[in-house]
Every structure is written in structure tokens, then in C-alpha cells.
Amino acid sequence: MSDPEVAAFRDALASVRGRIADACARSGRDPSAVTLVAVSKTVPAERLRAAVEAGITLLGENRVQEAEEKAPLLPGASWHLVGHLQSNKAARALALFAEIESVDSLALAERLARLAPAAGRARLPIWLQVNVDEDPAKEGFLAADLARDLPAILALPALEVRGLMTVGRLAATPEEARPTFAHLRTFAAGLRAAHPGLGPGLSMGMSDDYAVAVEEGSTLVRVGRALFGMRPAA
Ligand SMILES: *Cc1c(COP(=O)(O)O)cnc(C)c1O
């Protein structure tokens, strides 16, 4: 007998993975090169238990406290932080998250590097969030600031910089999000040519646009609503 909630999550997961595979086929990519992070913000731990049982085990949260409340109830899951990290919560984030995708300043990178050894994190995987569209409402480095700060970040031995992350613009159609993703890819390639320590990762694509992001080279998609359904209005 299978729990209907678990079965529904299995179907949702297969559907998202299928769309990722289709996008890879269209763009000549290997689906195993695309990691799926299931963004579980606002989803209660009881529902997440069914998701984990269905194989949705890599979860993303945008708030440290919410992840701290849920993580002890979900021993089978591992966690990425995808939202802005206040520096006074850096130590707590280090204790919980396998990877921090939302590093958005040199000061935060330095703080994480300083705290990582005491947290038993010899080489903490991080991503550098870029505000590609220079949207004042969004977090992330402006491209020029990252170009300036990247050498100092790569010089921090406690950090492993896996790549760049961005949140696409609010778009009416997935196609409208494409220029942001293409821009992040070319920006990353240019930076990497000058600074080989920058990892090859591109974290881009959410529920409405992950297929387009994969076509544009995404190596990690952060998908919430397509797996968990609509979130309550904030
Ligand atoms: C909420 C969130 C997502 C997932 O958004 P969906 O539209 O639900 O897929 C991805 N990335 C970040 C940074 C988020 O805050």
C-alpha cells in the first residue's frame, strides 16, 4: 500500500525531472549534470516527510530559522540556503546547510570563511549570487562589484566557490527570463577565464522558467511550486 501523498510527490518529481531531461535533449546536455533543489519554504515538515520518502531529499530554504525548525524532523534530507543570509546568522547557517547559494557580499564570504573551521567545515561549498538584471529589489552582487571582489573571495581557503547563482526577473513568459540566464552564463565564463578558481556551477531557474534555464546551461535548478504547489500569500 502506498501513501497517496508520497505517490503524488513521486509523480511531481518525475514530471519535473522529465522536463529537465527534455530541455537537456533540446540543448545537447546530459541530465545528470543538472541538480534539482526542491525549495520547501513554507511547506510544513509533515508534508516534507512524504516528499523525502518520494525521493525529494535535497531541499532549499530561504530562512535559517525555518530550516532549523524543520531539519531535525527530516533526517533523510540535506539543505541548501537560497535566501539572503544576515551575518549574525552565519554560524547557525554553517551548522545546518550543506551549501550556501546566496552569498552576496565579500563581507559575508569573509565571515563564513572565518567561522567555517570551528563548525567543522573544512571547505564550505558556496555560490555567489549575482543581481544580473541590476534590479534594486533583488539581492546579489552587481556584476562590476563581483568582478572586483572575486579574487579576494577565491583567496579564502575555507570556501569552495561552486559557481554563480541568480534569481531571474519576474517575467510574464519563461522566454522573457532567457536573457538573464544567458547573461549569467556568459558573465561566468568571462570571470572563469580570468579566475580559474571559480567553479563551473550555474544555479538558475525556478518553477516558471527552469526548462529555459537548463537550455541556457543551468547546472542547478531551484524548484518550489512545481513540486509543492502554490505557497500561501505572504
Ligand atoms: C522561492 C524560491 C525559489 C523557488 O521558487 P518557485 O517559483 O516556487 O519555484 C527559488 N529560488 C529562490 C531564491 C527562492 O526564494
Side-chain angles (χ1 to χ4, degrees), residues 31-57:
S32 72
V34 182
T35 299
L36 172 61
V37 171
V39 179
S40 53
K41 62 191 182 203
T42 78
V43 182
E46 309 82 71
R47 275 194 80 211
L48 289 179
R49 245 195 293 259
V52 170
E53 197 180 326
I56 301 173
T57 54

Side-chain angles (χ1 to χ4, degrees), residues 42-116:
T42 78
V43 182
E46 309 82 71
R47 275 194 80 211
L48 289 179
R49 245 195 293 259
V52 170
E53 197 180 326
I56 301 173
T57 54
L58 181 54
L59 303 179
E61 289 282 338
N62 62 349
R63 292 177 54 242
V64 174
Q65 175 151 349
E66 185 176 342
E68 281 175 336
E69 288 164 7
K70 293 193 275 199
L73 305 170
L74 296 158
S78 62
W79 303 82
H80 281 204
L81 182 65
V82 301
H84 176 66
L85 177 58
Q86 290 168 261
S87 62
N88 63 353
K89 294 185 180 156
R92 286 159 60 192
L94 276 167
L96 194 156
F97 292 100
E99 304 193 16
I100 296 177
E101 295 199 28
S102 42
V103 175
D104 54 11
S105 72
L106 173 58
L108 178 59
E110 288 174 337
R111 184 165 176 81
L112 289 168
R114 201 157 52 239
L115 296 171

Side-chain angles (χ1 to χ4, degrees), residues 39 41 62 82 165 167 206-207 222-225 231:
V39 179
K41 62 191 182 203
N62 62 349
V82 301
M165 177 271 219
V167 177
M206 317 197 331
S207 289
R222 308 178 310 269
V223 176
R225 289 164 300 136
R231 284 182 291 274

Side-chain angles (χ1 to χ4, degrees), residues 179-192:
T180 302
F181 301 144
H183 192 147
L184 188 72
R185 184 191 64 229
T186 53
F187 176 59
L191 281 182
R192 211 175 290 117

